[in-house]
Amino acid sequence: MNALDYPFWLASRAAGVVAYVLLSLSVAGGLVMAMRLAPVALRTALRQAHERIALLALAFVAAHGLLLLGDTYLKASLIDVLVPFQLDYRPLATGLGILAGYGTAALALTFYVRKRLGSKRWRKAHRFIPVFWAMAAVHVLGAGTDAWSLWLMLPTFVTIAAGLWLLAERWIRPRSGPPASKRRTPAPERERVAA
């Protein structure tokens, strides 16, 4: 079988792997920011990188799905690519992948309306992104034709281990208050002067 016989399938798989790795990096960056593990001097750069990586991941998710439309073996329709559990090929894994794409996109893009949503509500919603990341990992392992080959297993399991470790740290660590620069220090009590 010649690789040139199925270029859309290969391109879609490549886009899917890149999307998953970028999503994993974005989730890790978000958890690092939430736990304030990065030095203060790097926090702005980390936030910008997190945002750009998330947007890039979404672009590769879209490319992953749209490239399947040109595959002559799968013969996926637009409905198959857009509606979860519609595609006959490994419907559970592909359906979870589609749901992961929608959930990630919806929650990631709320960043741009967070002021309208309110910071507290936005943060609560944003905490569900790791759920969609986990669904994406299941999609990678369940839908990929070579999901159990070493070249794909290695980055998948490394990202899963790192993500689970960061999530466990996030849940176990006691919640810290606001950064030191925003904490109010109580004014010293005035000494009473004896009359």
Side-chain angles (χ1 to χ4, degrees), residues 80-168:
D80 293 332
V81 171
L82 294 177
V83 178
F85 312 107
Q86 176 71 28
L87 189 64
D88 289 336
Y89 177 79
R90 301 181 184 179
L92 179 62
T94 55
L96 289 175
I98 293 168
L99 288 175
Y102 286 144
T104 301
L107 292 175
L109 295 175
T110 60
F111 174 79
Y112 299 102
V113 292
R114 69 190 182 284
K115 289 180 182 173
R116 184 178 278 169
L117 291 173
S119 181
K120 190 174 183 179
R121 192 176 301 147
W122 174 76
R123 287 183 193 280
K124 280 185 178 181
H126 212 68
R127 287 184 185 151
F128 284 97
I129 286 181
V131 172
F132 294 108
W133 165 76
M135 289 168 65
V138 171
H139 171 72
V140 169
L141 295 173
T145 52
D146 46 8
W148 296 100
S149 60
L150 185 61
W151 74 268
L152 189 54
M153 271 190 355
L154 187 61
T156 304
F157 285 115
V158 166
T159 56
I160 289 171
L164 291 176
W165 175 73
L166 283 168
L167 282 168

